[in-house]
Amino acid sequence: MKACLLHSPAPVEKNPLVYADTLDPQPGPGEVRVRVKYCGVCRTDLHVVEGELPPRKSPVIPGHQIVGVVEKLGAGATRLRLGVRVGIPWLHRTDQSCEYCRKGMENLCDHPSFTGYTVDGGFAEYAVAPENFVYPIPDSFPDEQAAPLLCAGIIGFRSLRLSGIERGGRLGLYGFGAAAHLAIQVARHWGAEVYACTRGAKHQQLALQLGAAWAGEAAAEPPAKLDAAIIFAPAGELVPAALCALKKGGVLVLGGIHMSPIPSLDYNLLYQERVIRSVANNTRQDGEDFLRVAAEIPVRTQVTLFPLRDANHALNDLKGDRINGAAVLDCAS
Ligand SMILES: [Zn+2]
Ligand SMILES: [Zn+2]
């Protein structure tokens, strides 16, 4: 098959992904092989390719927002039929036996594997995954629109849940990329008022189109105090600004897997029971719940398509803030 391989991490300006022929992956026991149609490009892919996440496999095929069709079943795989459309997400597998898995917190599993990081992902024509860790995709979503739901959507949804935002509450979103442009649609559906703090007129414009009450620069002070905020941008320097915008008792959620260092804080920013918490991965329940809610709303994704062979180009545009909405690779053309 054709795939984009990362041999060793490097700045994306050096175009480190190599588009090449490699062996078709074979599904092991309990796994399915998926013919990939589209794969979303996530900021985590950027962190894998540039080495902010330490390399775990070499070469590795990045990509963990995979939409495709089941076309081969491994031994004992009986849950899915051939031809069914599924999504493969970041959470590739958990051990289901550690203390976190036993408590229903498999997102914190001690022995997880991650798609496109510790195992090969979807910047390729085929990918394999355990049948119990893939999601059937609701019919209402076109293939390319479904891809960003699988990480940007699910992580945005878990971030919203952890923020505790309620109907009538005021929510700040810091950084307005793929995750925020989906999270705002859920937050608006839940009746929250959204304030978008983000670099660049295009991202601010998209936020207003999607129903933000206000949009301004990344570190700007919103015109009202917030009940909760989510930082999707990987920029630790936004933490003091976001805390400053919170009401007493407000919750600040950090939605990324990697963030630049957080500057030291004046305790007054945190006092009055303000909370800072991170989000790590997701449970399968988060994924199933989000896909159901997304189909009900229905959530609409704004995508920019690139051919599979141009994955480096997509990553460069993501790093340069030139993607409005989500970047998606067309892996079948
Ligand atoms: Zn576990
Ligand atoms: Zn992701």
Side-chain angles (χ1 to χ4, degrees), residues 94-102 106 108-112:
T94 57
D95 62 10
Q96 299 181 67
S97 61
C98 74
E99 65 170 291
Y100 299 100
C101 285
R102 282 187 275 119
E106 67 177 349
L108 302 179
C109 179
D110 279 334
H111 307 101

Side-chain angles (χ1 to χ4, degrees), residues 19 28 51 53 55 84 118 135 168 170 175 207 244 256 263 267 269 286 291 293 298 304:
Y19 179 71
L53 300 183
V84 72
T118 67
Y135 305 110
R170 294 196 174 112
C244 200
Y267 182 58
L269 286 177
D286 291 323
L291 289 172
V293 170
T304 303

Side-chain angles (χ1 to χ4, degrees), residues 1-321:
M1 68 170 182
K2 293 288 189 196
C4 289
L5 300 164
L6 178 72
H7 292 275
S8 56
V12 288
E13 293 82 358
K14 293 187 170 166
N15 298 320
L17 292 177
V18 179
Y19 179 71
D21 286 302
T22 188
L23 289 175
D24 292 355
Q26 297 302 326
E31 293 184 336
V32 294
R33 184 165 79 188
V34 169
R35 181 164 48 78
V36 182
K37 291 182 160 181
Y38 292 94
C39 187
V41 180
C42 174
R43 189 162 288 277
T44 299
D45 297 313
L46 198 54
H47 297 318
V48 169
V49 170
E50 297 205 309
E52 280 131 342
L53 300 183
R56 298 280 299 273
K57 176 181 185 297
S58 178
V60 66
I61 301 170
H64 57 269
Q65 304 187 87
I66 301 167
V67 171
V69 168
V70 174
E71 60 99 55
K72 192 170 183 185
L73 303 175
T78 55
R79 179 181 166 226
L80 299 162
R81 280 202 299 275
L82 293 176
V84 72
R85 182 172 74 151
V86 294
I88 303 178
W90 168 249
L91 188 72
H92 188 83
R93 189 193 296 271
T94 57
D95 62 10
Q96 299 181 67
S97 61
C98 74
E99 65 170 291
Y100 299 100
C101 285
R102 282 187 275 119
K103 280 194 283 192
M105 300 156 72
E106 67 177 349
N107 60 304
L108 302 179
C109 179
D110 279 334
H111 307 101
S113 54
F114 297 117
T115 312
Y117 180 42
T118 67
V119 298
D120 284 333
F123 291 5
E125 291 179 309
Y126 295 96
V128 298
E131 62 172 354
N132 290 330
F133 284 81
V134 305
Y135 305 110
I137 304 279
D139 289 338
S140 52
F141 295 106
D143 292 331
E144 71 278 15
Q145 292 216 2
L149 302 176
L150 288 157
C151 181
I154 294 172
I155 294 296
F157 184 71
R158 184 170 176 86
S159 302
L160 280 174
R161 279 185 158 167
L162 295 184
S163 81
I165 193 70
E166 291 177 348
R167 178 165 295 278
R170 294 196 174 112
L171 173 73
L173 297 178
Y174 287 78
F176 206 84
H181 103 289
L182 297 171
I184 190 175
Q185 297 177 56
V186 178
R188 296 285 297 132
H189 180 71
W190 287 350
E193 205 167 81
V194 177
Y195 295 77
C197 302
T198 186
R199 282 194 299 204
K202 270 183 158 173
H203 296 322
Q204 292 166 16
Q205 196 56 44
L206 180 60
L208 293 170
Q209 277 169 24
L210 291 171
W214 173 89
E217 279 301 312
E221 195 180 338
K225 288 289 182 195
L226 307 171
D227 296 285
I230 305 169
I231 300 183
F232 289 115
E237 67 268 20
L238 292 176
V239 169
L243 279 175
C244 200
L246 286 183
K247 290 182 193 170
K248 290 185 268 192
V251 177
L252 174 59
V253 176
L254 310 181
I257 192 170
H258 170 82
M259 188 176 238
S260 59
I262 298 171
S264 67
L265 297 171
D266 188 312
Y267 182 58
N268 281 336
L269 286 177
L270 192 57
Y271 187 59
Q272 302 290 5
E273 304 198 343
R274 293 181 182 89
V275 174
I276 306 179
R277 65 176 305 169
S278 65
V279 172
N281 316 309
N282 62 276
T283 64
R284 280 172 282 175
Q285 190 69 51
D286 291 323
E288 286 159 18
D289 292 349
F290 170 66
L291 289 172
R292 191 178 57 249
V293 170
E296 277 167 19
I297 292 176
V299 160
R300 291 282 169 244
T301 49
Q302 179 161 329
V303 302
T304 303
L305 289 177
F306 296 83
L308 173 60
R309 61 163 60 82
D310 289 345
N312 284 310
H313 184 184
L315 288 168
N316 275 283
D317 279 1
L318 180 61
K319 187 176 181 181
D321 258 344

